Amino acid sequence: MKKNSILKQGFKEAKNRFIIVSLPLSFFVLLTILMFIIGFIAPITFIFTIPFVVIPSFFAVSAINTIAPNKNTHEGLGFFIMFRAYFTQLFRGGYKVIIGFLKSLAVFIISSAILSAILTTTILNKDPQFIDFRNQVAVMTDANQIAEALTNFMNTNVTFNKISIIINGVSSFLAFYMFAHHFAVNSFKYNYNFIASLPLPMQDLNLIHKNVVKQNRREFYKDYYKANWLLAILLVLGYAGGFLISYFFINNIDMVQMSVIGLFGSFIVLMLFVPYFLNASQITFSKYRSKYVETLITLTKESIEELKKTQTITEEKEKEVLKLIESQKEEPEDKDKENK
C-alpha cells in the first residue's frame, strides 16, 4: 500500500458506511458516557463497566459496520443482537481484556516509579519545606508522630502536590495508551470472523492471530501505525485537554478524577473517528487475510498429524476437514459489491 493510502481509504469507506453505524455508534457513545459519569464518581467501576458494557458496545458497532448489508439502513436492533453475541464462544475473549488491564497496571507502576524518582531528585529535594520536613522526621522516633508529620506535609506542600498530580496524570495516560494499543491490535483479528464463511472459535483465532503477527511483526506494525498515527495524536491531545481543563477549571477534584476527565477528553475527540478506525482495520486486514488462512491450514494439518498418530481420526474425516479449511482460501465478496 502507498503511504497514507490506508488513511484515505479508511475515511472514504467510513463516509460511505456512516449511515449504517450512526445509530449503533450513538448507542455506544451514550453508554460509554454513562460509564464515564459513574466512573467519575467511583473510578473502581471501570473494572466492570469496560469489559461488560463499553467493549461489547464497541464490538457491536464493529460487527455491524462490517456485516450490515444495506448502506441505507440504520442498524438499531443489530446493536443489541451483536452486543449479546459478543459473549458467545465465537467472539468472547478476543480483545484479551484481562491481559490488557495487567499490561496497563504494569505500565502505571513502572512509569510512576520512574517519574517519582526523577521529580523527587530534581525538584522535590530542592524544596525548602521538604528539606525541613526531612530534617524533622530524621530525629523523630514515635511512629504516630512521623505519620502525622507526613500527612501534614502531603496536605500542605504545594510542590509535592503538583508533582503527585503530574506523576498520576502522566502514568495514567501511559497506562491508558497501553490498553488502547493492546485493544486495537487484538481487535484486528475480529475482521476474520466477521467475513469468514466458517468463523472460528475465538481460542483458535487467538492462536492464529498470534502466529500471524509474530511472523509478520515488522510489516504488520508498519501498516498498523500508518492506519492509526492520527488517532494516536488525537488521543494524546484529548487526554491532555481534559486533564488540564479539570486541573485549572474544576475545584475540589482529586487526581484520579482528573485522569478520568482526561480519558473522557480522549473519548470525546475520538468517538467520531470510530467508523474510520473500523474501516481502516478492515482494509489493513484484507492484506493479511491470506496469511490467516495459511496459518489456519498449517495448524490444522499439524493437529491432524497428531490425531493420526493416536488413530483418532479416519481418512474420510481427514479429507473432509482439509477440504473445508482449503475452501477458506476463497476471498469473500466485497461488501460494497453486495450492496449495489
Side-chain angles (χ1 to χ4, degrees):
M1 294 185 182
K2 296 180 180 179
K3 186 177 181 180
N4 292 332
S5 64
I6 298 176
L7 197 71
K8 293 177 181 178
Q9 291 178 43
F11 277 115
K12 180 180 178 181
E13 199 61 33
K15 181 180 179 181
N16 291 338
R17 296 185 64 79
F18 187 78
I19 293 178
I20 293 175
V21 298
S22 58
L23 191 55
L25 182 62
S26 298
F27 291 149
F28 164 66
V29 169
L30 290 174
L31 284 172
T32 304
I33 290 175
L34 178 60
M35 296 308 104
F36 266 111
I37 293 172
I38 296 172
F40 180 79
I41 299 170
I44 191 67
T45 58
F46 282 125
I47 295 176
F48 306 101
T49 58
I50 289 176
F52 294 110
V53 179
V54 176
I55 288 178
S57 298
F58 178 88
F59 166 82
V61 178
S62 178
I64 291 168
N65 179 74
T66 306
I67 65 179
N70 190 340
K71 68 180 180 180
N72 297 313
T73 302
H74 292 274
E75 292 288 338
L77 180 60
F79 174 86
F80 299 99
I81 294 174
M82 296 312 300
F83 184 101
R84 183 179 178 182
Y86 169 75
F87 297 97
T88 64
Q89 186 182 25
L90 282 178
F91 302 115
R92 184 182 66 251
Y95 294 116
K96 295 182 174 292
V97 178
I98 295 177
I99 295 176
F101 274 138
L102 292 176
K103 285 182 177 180
S104 297
L105 179 60
V107 168
F108 181 85
I109 292 172
I110 294 170
S111 58
S112 294
I114 294 173
L115 285 171
S116 295
I118 294 173
L119 295 178
T120 298
T121 303
T122 58
I123 298 176
L124 191 59
N125 279 341
K126 298 177 182 179
D127 182 74
Q129 191 177 350
F130 176 71
I131 295 172
D132 290 341
F133 163 73
R134 191 172 55 188
N135 293 334
Q136 291 172 14
V137 170
V139 298
M140 292 180 182
T141 56
D142 185 359
N144 291 329
Q145 190 179 11
I146 294 174
E148 184 179 350
L150 177 61
T151 301
N152 180 65
F153 173 78
M154 292 172 62
N155 291 332
T156 59
N157 185 265
V158 175
T159 303
F160 175 81
N161 282 287
K162 286 184 177 179
I163 288 175
S164 297
I165 290 172
I166 293 171
I167 292 171
N168 183 77
V170 174
S171 298
S172 294
F173 170 74
L174 294 175
F176 170 55
Y177 186 89
M178 170 55 73
F179 186 84
H181 168 73
H182 172 86
F183 178 84
V185 171
N186 281 283
S187 69
F188 189 79
K189 73 187 73 158
Y190 278 96
N191 290 293
Y192 183 92
N193 271 2
F194 288 156
I195 63 175
S197 57
L198 182 67
L200 300 172
M202 190 51 63
Q203 184 177 2
D204 296 336
L205 187 53
N206 280 335
L207 179 60
I208 292 170
H209 174 76
K210 181 179 179 181
N211 277 272
V212 171
V213 173
K214 183 178 180 180
Q215 294 167 9
N216 304 273
R217 182 173 298 276
R218 184 174 179 179
E219 186 177 8
F220 174 82
Y221 281 107
K222 182 179 178 181
D223 290 330
Y224 169 81
Y225 285 111
K226 273 186 179 180
N228 297 310
W229 65 267
L230 176 61
L231 304 187
I233 293 174
L234 293 174
L235 184 146
V236 174
L237 294 177
Y239 181 90
F243 191 86
L244 292 174
I245 287 172
S246 67
Y247 177 75
F248 287 108
F249 299 104
I250 302 179
N251 297 322
N252 302 317
I253 186 172
D254 62 37
M255 293 183 295
V256 177
Q257 289 176 323
M258 288 182 190
S259 296
V260 171
I261 293 180
L263 299 182
F264 183 68
S266 289
F267 174 73
I268 292 299
V269 171
L270 289 173
M271 63 183 184
L272 292 179
F273 289 87
V274 170
Y276 162 77
F277 171 78
L278 299 177
N279 286 284
S281 176
Q282 188 177 346
I283 291 167
T284 307
F285 176 79
S286 64
K287 176 179 176 179
Y288 293 90
R289 182 185 179 277
S290 61
K291 298 182 186 298
Y292 276 73
V293 175
E294 289 168 6
T295 304
L296 168 63
I297 293 173
T298 299
L299 293 178
T300 302
K301 289 180 177 179
E302 290 176 358
S303 297
I304 289 175
E305 290 302 316
E306 292 298 319
L307 292 173
K308 287 167 70 175
K309 290 178 182 179
T310 58
Q311 297 182 341
T312 53
I313 186 171
T314 63
E315 185 176 346
E316 292 76 15
K317 186 66 176 177
E318 177 186 352
K319 290 180 180 179
E320 181 182 339
V321 171
L322 290 175
K323 181 179 179 181
L324 187 62
I325 62 171
E326 287 287 345
S327 68
Q328 297 303 298
K329 288 183 178 180
E330 299 176 8
E331 289 288 340
E333 290 185 35
D334 185 84
K335 64 184 177 187
D336 287 334
K337 291 180 180 179
E338 292 177 357
N339 295 336
K340 292 180 180 179

